[in-house]
Amino acid sequence: MKATPIRLPHARIDPSRPLAFEFEGRRLQGFAGDSLASALLANGEAVVARSFKLHRPRGILGAGKEEPNALVQLEAGAFTEPNMRATLVPLYDGLSARGQNAWPGVRHDLFGLLGAFKRFLPASFYYKTFMWPSWHLWEGAVRRLAGLGRAPGVPDPQTYVQQNIHADVVVVGAGRSGIEAALRAAADRDARILLVDDQEEIGGALLASPHLQDRAWLDHAIAQLAACSNVTVLRRTTVNGCYANNVLAALERRTNHLGPAGQGRPRERFWRIFAGRLILAAGAIERPLAFPNNDRPGIMLASAVREYTHRFGLTLGSHIVFYTNNDSAWRTALELAARGLGVAAIVDLRETVDIELLERAADAGIACHLGTAVVDTRGRKGVRRLRLRRLDGGGATTALPCDLLAMSGGWTPTVHLFSQAGGRLSYREADACLVPGTTIADVEVVGRANGEFREPLNVKEHWLTPDAPPERQWIDFQYDVTASDIQLAARENFVSVEHVKRYTTNGMSVDQGKTSNVNGLGVLALATGRAIEDVGTTRFRPPYHPVTFGAFAGVATGALYRPFQLLPAHREHVAAGAHFEDYGAWKRPACYPRPGEDEDAAIQREARAVRRSAGLLDYSTLGKLEIRGADARDFLNRVYLNNVATLKTGQARYGLILNEAGIVIDDGILICLADDHFLMHTTSGGASAIHQHLERWLQTEWPHLEVLVDNATGQWATLMLSGPRSRDILQRLPCDIDLAKDAFGHMQYRHGTLCGLPCRILRASYTGEVSFEISVPARQGPFLWRRLVEAGGADLVPFGIETLMLLRTEKGYLHVGADTDGNTMPQDLGWGGAVARKAADFIGRRSLAQEAGRDPDRFQFTGIELLDPSASTIAGAHVLSEDARTTAGYVTSAFHSPHLGRTVVLGLVAGAARREGETVTVFFDGKTQKARLVKPGAYDPAGELLNG
Amino acid sequence: MVEQADPGVTALSVRRGRFFAAEDAGLGLVRIQCFHRREGVADAVAERLGRPLPRTGEIREGEGERIFWSAPGEWVVALPIDVEARWIRDQAGNLAGLPALLSPMGDSHMAVELGGEDVRDVLARASTVDFSPDRFVEGRTVVTRFAGITVLLGRPRGADNWLLVVDRSLAAYLFAWLESASVV
């Protein structure tokens, strides 16, 4: 293979725009319009990569997405990207790339010595070898060696977007067939046509045609497309997958051709395409031939040679030999010869070839070797000589000098999207390829993707060179899979093509077997004595082409990883120094550390302040559902486990909500605002789920009940003022509600105005102290927060949700979701009596009567008192069974109590209700400690303080 | 750029290239709900309100207000904020006796105006709805998943811009998302 200092005329590059680039530290030059691969070839870079397993030198094999060899590490630092195929990287000024899987470089790779041990490294050697004495002994070394390329070690500064698009007709592939299909479809002016192509410019194989009439046709067609207002063309876009209802996933490379200079604009765009009708015109990929040492640099696909010659203007050899089993390579050879390139010979496995091709070859001075196989190649840094053998001539071989071998083993239609759309393939023996064998509604396959080759191929099936060592005949160039590996798999009784793929790694990794799958099938068919059709194919799973993580993520990274919700008074919390934590989607203050305090210290301080004086918590996430209608009371009595039918206006009642399996799914306080109007408080994370729960029952089970549900959670900002001085502080603000102890008791509700704002106040306590849950219109939440902080002065501290959790754990209050699990029934929480007392039916009642619900060893809610007061534990610690062999429960909440001077613990423990006072063993962090089962509620067990 | 005093807190507008999004603080929002499963109730509500209620997926404009269909038996009224309270008070009286209710939603939700030449491109990055001019015509509205959250989105007749209604607690997220996703 030689360098091309001067490009051939008519190439689609711009010689007036030279571009400097680097490969492996060497400064090189290409031109605008080049791919990295064509630029490397133009500079005579024969070895551009190393194979994965054996580190064999690899040159460029293909010219497009089929390339298995030329994987490079593009750029460095934050912009680096591994496993980029040089054939798909458009050249830009300043591009920098390195080879992969080699040290110190791809030309001279020390690991290349592995090739000498090939016979000891057959397929699956690692499955068999690294089992003894233990996989873990080998794991570290294997993981260091495994993988191709290096992932960036710093965050990617580039942006990625995702976009949806709808079209009546989507054409995939903009070669001649695709363009024709798009123009046909565009005749319907009401139809929206989307033409998607993965190349830098549309045209497909026409871009590599030396024929002026082809180029003229393409120019005309492009002009026609441009004139169609109903056609959208997406270039540089690879359709990677086809899903149900003709939904396609595609990746558009927006600024890759600009390199890091494109920063600021989206690098890639991930398209989700909704297609009415799908036309697949993705073309076909030429296959390599299997023969000994067919992986040597300087051996390329004939179609790639055509492309590099006519599209990029390269002269890759002066003694070019074509090796083929079909007619297409002859035409390519003749095209090259017509350009004056040195086509020395055509070696054809077939005994006979179309007479016209033979005559034209003879006229061009090309030697023809029919019925002949290449049985070896030689050359250290690139192919220099071939050894040929007549297929019917015994063992005698002849030598043939060669500096570029262009091979063609037939063509493989690109059918992955058809297959993913549900189509089945059939094997067409005449062309030795798999073609669409069924029809699918709204999916059409055209052109070479459908096996419609414009000129006859006359392929002779050839999967393996006979009487030649199979261990030197490469099938998968990327993973060093040879024919002998597939034969070994067959001998070891792997008959399913899926199993053979995994056993040998044939068709894995970046190229996903675009050049190796069909040849692998052929070798497997030969080895197992089956027809290709009976061997079948591996599944065509998306993505067809590697997709970056950035494209999958789009803008959903960092702070936008998932939606977040902010409290109405978020800014006030930021100003107060809150440390935020995620509770569902909500950003809630966990606590408000002061300078020098860590979170633990802040929580302890806040808890002491609430018990001693007063604290203010932003409780706006509290679920607030308003239920109205003539049947609201009846409906709610069916929803709640306990009886709410008797609730009077202005009263509030705590209740449990079950699902139909009798499992506790939420709890909270129900307030009667009017006879037909109720306010249901749910847990913070439960508002939407309970809203849906209510709507499901209303819409599907009881559609006759006249009930309307309004989720008013966000309409109100709710602040919890809690502590012995809370009433005093609240009374410092103008309010038309009588806040006196006797006038406004625990579990009562009032509405009126506070600081001139409409307000709702509930006397309920989740801290064990006297508390006021004050709701005002959400937009006024920040104002009320500031007013209360002002009014409280030194008597008041803001406290966070973590502090609240400590306070309620001291008090033994249940937190549904933390102190319950997916099995918790009301009797596990001590609510068995309420179930028995309620006469009316309610959701989940029937399930409570089942045998499982009566098991005395169910996990039940309990307090757990550590016998060593200085000991601590955490939520999740196990409570062991009596024989200490199994888990008999676990800790659900555990906090250090500043008031009790020890860790307060709640948990779910087997049979806890009947085992009160028993000693149990708690296991955590490899240690055990003794504890006693006690009633929940270590702080103020009499419950007097909340009435204060 | 997002105009905000505190990152992620009060993002009230995004302007990038040929796209903008901004809170329409002058709009009040009211939800109408009725027990639509009973025949004739929706018609009765419309009659009492003195205006026809739009059908599924439609917007009805008139008298300084726009009514968006939002769900079976539910509509969202967008109207000048200074008349919101009076409108609710007056209309609630008109609906007395009917299984229907009006709820203010201006505190829980925010109206956002979206516009610019690239607006459809940005919308298409957020939602799978077909936003082509000939498919998403003027007067159409949807409740859809948009940038991962649920919003009401409409294209009022005679208006240059689109109107989006989002949960106020998610507004900071939405504006940050639009800021990131509107890059061209």
Side-chain angles (χ1 to χ4, degrees):
Chain A
M1 186 174 290
K2 63 177 192 178
T4 306
I6 300 174
R7 303 294 179 95
L8 296 169
H10 307 304
R12 301 181 81 91
I13 52 112
D14 184 354
S16 68
R17 291 175 55 203
L19 302 173
F21 72 103
E22 261 188 32
F23 180 69
E24 297 248 297
R26 294 186 288 282
R27 291 174 179 279
L28 306 170
Q29 183 182 291
F31 297 106
D34 263 328
S35 67
L36 174 58
S38 67
L40 287 170
L41 288 168
N43 285 276
E45 293 281 343
V47 179
V48 298
R50 290 278 167 163
S51 63
F52 175 63
K53 192 164 79 176
L54 300 174
H55 289 251
R56 286 176 65 86
R58 291 281 185 256
I60 291 165
L61 179 80
K65 55 186 177 287
E66 75 281 5
E67 174 60 33
N69 288 342
L71 304 180
V72 299
Q73 183 90 30
L74 196 62
E75 301 300 342
F79 293 95
T80 196
E81 187 168 357
N83 299 320
M84 296 296 284
R85 273 170 277 186
T87 52
L88 298 175
V89 177
L91 194 69
Y92 52 84
D93 203 33
L95 181 149
S96 173
R98 297 194 67 82
Q100 300 182 159
N101 206 37
W103 189 85
V106 293
R107 279 186 182 171
H108 306 286
D109 175 19
L110 279 182
F111 291 102
L113 293 170
L114 279 169
F117 301 97
K118 181 183 182 319
R119 60 191 293 253
F120 301 111
L121 303 171
S124 78
F125 78 94
Y126 37 85
Y127 298 139
K128 297 167 181 169
T129 307
F130 299 128
M131 292 168 67
W132 184 88
S134 160
W135 157 247
H136 297 296
L137 184 72
W138 303 96
E139 187 178 359
V142 170
R143 292 208 186 283
R144 271 194 297 279
L145 282 172
L148 276 172
R150 289 180 185 280
V154 291
D156 186 350
Q158 301 164 109
T159 55
Y160 301 81
V161 294
Q162 299 178 335
Q163 192 155 339
N164 304 292
I165 188 168
H166 296 251
D168 300 300
V169 180
V170 174
V171 182
V172 180
R176 187 191 290 267
S177 300
I179 292 173
E180 285 173 345
L183 288 171
R184 275 197 305 275
D188 177 357
R189 307 307 296 174
D190 293 331
R192 295 170 298 173
I193 317 300
L194 183 67
L195 177 60
V196 189
D197 191 74
D198 61 358
Q199 296 214 47
E200 291 294 301
E201 49 183 332
I202 66 170
L206 291 172
L207 298 170
S209 172
H211 306 298
L212 292 178
Q213 66 270 29
D214 285 342
R215 296 187 172 212
W217 185 93
L218 180 58
D219 291 343
H220 179 64
I222 289 172
Q224 281 184 290
L225 285 173
C228 295
S229 59
N230 58 339
V231 177
T232 303
V233 179
L234 283 179
R235 290 180 299 135
R236 301 191 189 102
T237 306
T238 306
V239 177
N240 278 309
C242 180
Y243 304 88
N245 302 315
N246 281 357
V247 176
L248 305 172
L251 184 72
E252 179 187 8
R253 297 172 294 281
R254 294 270 290 169
T255 57
N256 297 50
H257 60 293
L258 302 175
Q263 196 185 2
R265 296 166 58 192
R267 180 164 183 257
E268 291 175 345
R269 176 156 48 179
F270 191 98
W271 286 96
R272 189 183 301 158
I273 301 170
F274 298 84
R277 192 157 65 87
L278 186 58
I279 299 176
L280 302 175
I285 291 172
E286 198 167 33
R287 289 195 297 271
L289 284 164
F291 56 92
N293 292 316
N294 57 342
D295 67 331
R296 202 175 295 283
I299 302 176
M300 301 175 74
L301 296 173
S303 55
V305 172
R306 183 179 196 249
E307 184 138 350
Y308 290 121
T309 302
H310 304 303
R311 181 173 175 184
F312 296 104
L314 302 183
T315 308
L316 297 175
S318 55
H319 210 85
I320 306 170
V321 175
F322 280 77
Y323 180 33
T324 185
N325 64 346
N326 68 86
D327 287 355
S328 73
W330 285 74
R331 296 186 191 102
T332 302
L334 292 168
E335 286 171 355
L336 261 67
R339 290 268 160 181
L341 273 69
V343 180
I346 301 174
V347 181
D348 200 314
L349 288 153
R350 298 172 296 176
E351 286 292 342
T352 57
V353 173
D354 181 79
I355 189 70
E356 187 199 337
L357 292 174
L358 271 173
E359 287 174 359
R360 288 174 60 196
D363 291 347
I366 302 171
C368 301
H369 302 267
L370 302 186
T372 302
V374 175
V375 293
D376 201 3
T377 67
R378 294 290 168 87
R380 200 162 154 264
K381 291 181 179 172
V383 63
R384 288 285 173 267
R385 186 175 298 119
L386 310 176
R387 292 212 71 83
L388 310 182
R389 187 177 66 208
R390 287 276 307 163
L391 289 171
D392 60 357
T397 62
T398 55
L400 183 64
C402 160
D403 61 359
L404 175 66
L405 179 61
M407 60 179 167
S408 175
W411 291 81
T412 301
T414 304
V415 290
H416 65 292
L417 295 176
F418 172 77
S419 174
Q420 289 163 13
R424 300 183 68 172
L425 305 174
S426 63
Y427 184 69
R428 185 195 291 167
E429 209 163 326
D431 292 319
C433 63
L434 292 157
V435 294
T438 51
T439 55
I440 312 171
D442 295 323
V443 178
E444 184 184 355
V445 191
V446 299
R448 291 192 297 169
N450 199 34
E452 296 159 6
F453 302 101
R454 290 178 189 272
E455 292 175 295
L457 294 180
N458 298 314
V459 183
K460 177 188 179 185
E461 235 182 39
H462 175 85
W463 309 120
L464 187 68
T465 299
D467 305 322
E471 64 274 14
R472 310 300 299 180
Q473 301 187 44
W474 265 258
I475 302 298
D476 186 322
F477 295 88
Q478 197 169 98
Y479 259 39
D480 280 319
V481 179
T482 60
S484 63
D485 291 322
I486 295 172
Q487 291 170 335
L488 173 69
R491 282 201 305 278
E492 296 190 0
N493 210 26
F494 287 91
V495 291
S496 157
V497 66
E498 294 283 3
H499 293 159
V500 170
K501 173 179 178 176
R502 280 144 191 86
Y503 195 61
T504 63
T505 67
N506 188 54
M508 287 192 175
S509 195
V510 182
D511 71 331
Q512 284 290 295
K514 290 179 178 58
T515 55
S516 63
N517 275 347
V518 174
N519 282 351
L521 293 180
V523 175
L524 182 61
L526 289 174
T528 55
R530 292 179 292 174
I532 291 262
E533 201 141 22
D534 295 334
V535 172
T537 63
T538 51
R539 285 188 64 82
F540 293 84
R541 279 189 295 268
Y544 180 68
H545 181 81
V547 181
T548 56
F549 283 118
F552 277 127
V555 299
T557 61
L560 297 178
Y561 175 67
R562 62 176 183 173
F564 60 83
Q565 291 176 275
L566 299 185
L567 296 164
H570 183 85
R571 266 201 294 190
E572 278 65 26
H573 303 314
V574 171
H579 277 198
F580 291 91
E581 282 186 17
D582 291 342
Y583 287 81
W586 287 101
K587 303 278 182 198
R588 300 185 71 180
C591 56
Y592 300 79
R594 289 176 177 170
E597 264 186 350
D598 61 14
E599 285 199 6
D600 284 341
I603 292 166
Q604 297 284 306
R605 173 183 53 76
E606 289 171 10
R608 280 194 297 270
V610 173
R611 296 269 185 248
R612 189 178 57 242
S613 179
L616 184 63
L617 172 86
D618 194 328
Y619 209 32
S620 301
T621 58
L622 179 74
K624 294 171 277 275
L625 306 179
E626 296 208 22
I627 292 108
R628 282 184 264 205
D631 297 320
R633 186 181 294 274
D634 177 21
F635 172 61
L636 288 168
N637 208 36
R638 302 180 192 200
V639 169
Y640 279 97
L641 152 72
N642 41 319
N643 183 14
V644 297
T646 56
L647 198 61
K648 293 186 169 56
T649 300
Q651 282 186 338
R653 188 169 295 169
Y654 175 79
L656 291 180
I657 299 175
L658 317 182
N659 64 16
E660 55 269 55
I663 305 300
V664 177
I665 56 171
D666 210 276
D667 70 341
I669 291 170
L670 180 71
I671 302 149
C672 180
L673 301 177
D675 196 43
D676 60 352
H677 186 184
F678 295 81
L679 174 61
M680 173 193 272
H681 283 177
T682 71
T683 54
S684 291
S688 293
I690 294 301
H691 186 192
Q692 288 171 18
H693 175 75
L694 301 184
E695 286 292 350
R696 181 165 71 88
W697 284 91
L698 281 172
Q699 292 180 32
T700 64
E701 302 296 329
W702 305 315
H704 57 285
L705 291 184
E706 191 183 295
V707 177
L708 296 171
V709 182
D710 176 31
N711 185 350
T713 303
Q715 191 65 17
W716 299 90
T718 302
L719 304 180
M720 179 200 286
L721 185 59
S722 183
R725 304 204 63 181
S726 56
R727 175 179 290 107
D728 170 35
I729 292 169
L730 191 54
Q731 284 174 329
R732 295 173 196 172
L733 297 178
C735 182
D736 61 5
I737 299 170
D738 186 350
L739 300 168
K741 180 179 176 181
D742 296 337
F744 193 0
H746 183 58
M747 293 301 279
Q748 288 190 342
Y749 163 88
R750 301 285 185 272
H751 62 265
T753 61
L754 176 66
C755 301
L757 304 172
C759 76
R760 293 171 162 185
I761 302 179
L762 174 68
R763 277 284 323 276
S765 178
Y766 199 37
T767 62
E769 305 294 337
V770 58
S771 299
F772 296 84
E773 293 176 10
I774 309 156
S775 297
V776 295
R779 281 176 286 190
Q780 306 301 332
F783 170 76
L784 182 63
W785 176 274
R786 292 193 295 271
R787 290 300 310 271
L788 281 166
V789 168
E790 255 173 49
D795 297 332
L796 183 73
V797 297
F799 70 102
I801 184 69
E802 285 298 306
T803 307
L804 178 68
M805 289 297 114
L806 187 165
L807 295 167
R808 68 94 195 161
T809 302
E810 285 182 330
K811 189 69 182 133
Y813 286 150
L814 179 79
H815 182 201
V816 170
D819 297 317
T820 62
D821 61 22
N823 290 314
T824 305
M825 290 178 157
Q827 59 267 39
D828 305 327
L829 306 173
W831 278 61
V835 173
R837 280 194 299 276
K838 185 164 179 178
D841 201 4
F842 58 89
I843 296 167
R845 172 161 218 153
R846 179 179 170 278
S847 298
L848 299 180
Q850 302 297 307
E851 189 177 340
R854 298 197 301 269
D855 181 353
D857 283 329
R858 292 180 59 80
F859 282 13
Q860 292 166 333
F861 182 56
T862 181
I864 300 172
E865 185 180 288
L866 300 175
L867 298 189
D868 176 359
S870 65
S872 65
T873 189
I874 62 164
H878 290 260
V879 176
L880 301 182
S881 61
E882 279 183 38
D883 61 2
R885 293 172 68 90
T886 60
T887 292
Y890 56 92
V891 171
T892 55
S893 302
F895 289 89
H896 178 74
S897 165
H899 311 99
L900 302 169
R902 59 180 174 81
T903 301
V904 286
V905 183
L906 301 173
L908 287 170
V909 177
R914 60 179 167 78
R915 295 172 60 196
E916 194 176 308
E918 277 187 24
T919 301
V920 295
T921 304
V922 177
F923 175 83
F924 160 60
D925 199 20
K927 298 176 191 145
T928 58
Q929 51 192 304
K930 293 294 178 190
R932 187 166 34 239
L933 300 182
V934 296
K935 278 195 186 340
Y939 178 80
D940 183 27
E944 292 167 349
L945 295 172
L946 53 81
N947 291 312
Chain B
M1 294 294 292
V2 176
E3 296 167 13
Q4 52 188 25
D6 183 20
V9 179
T10 53
L12 295 176
S13 70
V14 168
R15 185 172 290 278
R16 188 201 278 273
R18 298 181 302 178
F19 168 78
F20 75 88
E23 176 187 4
D24 189 343
L27 275 187
L29 299 167
V30 180
R31 177 181 289 121
I32 304 171
Q33 287 174 281
C34 75
F35 188 63
H36 67 289
R37 287 190 285 275
R38 186 185 300 161
E39 200 174 337
V41 168
D43 291 339
V45 169
E47 191 180 328
R48 295 272 191 95
L49 291 174
R51 59 224 345 118
L53 292 169
R55 291 177 301 183
T56 303
E58 291 184 354
I59 306 169
R60 193 168 288 278
E61 293 94 349
E63 298 176 33
E65 69 195 29
R66 294 182 181 129
I67 306 179
F68 298 76
W69 176 91
S70 65
E74 284 192 22
W75 298 265
V76 172
V77 186
L79 70 180
I81 196 164
D82 53 346
V83 301
E84 177 192 289
R86 181 161 46 85
W87 194 93
I88 292 174
R89 195 170 54 245
D90 294 348
Q91 295 294 6
N94 293 336
L95 293 179
L98 280 179
L101 60 96
L102 303 175
S103 313
M105 52 184 289
D107 277 278
S108 61
H109 287 76
M110 178 186 287
V112 178
E113 204 175 7
L114 305 160
E117 284 178 57
D118 290 341
V119 64
R120 289 176 194 276
D121 258 0
V122 179
L123 295 177
R125 293 178 182 187
S127 166
T128 58
V129 170
D130 188 349
F131 291 109
S132 309
D134 52 342
R135 301 300 197 276
F136 205 107
V137 296
E138 286 190 359
R140 195 180 157 198
T141 185
V142 290
V143 173
T144 182
R145 198 158 177 79
F146 186 95
I149 57 179
T150 302
V151 303
L152 180 150
L153 181 68
R155 187 183 167 208
R157 289 179 194 83
D160 293 334
N161 302 322
W162 299 60
L163 189 78
L164 178 148
V165 177
V166 61
D167 189 309
R168 193 171 283 276
S169 67
L170 287 160
Y173 161 79
L174 178 67
F175 277 96
W177 191 96
L178 289 169
E179 166 75 13
S180 291
S182 56
V183 62
V184 289

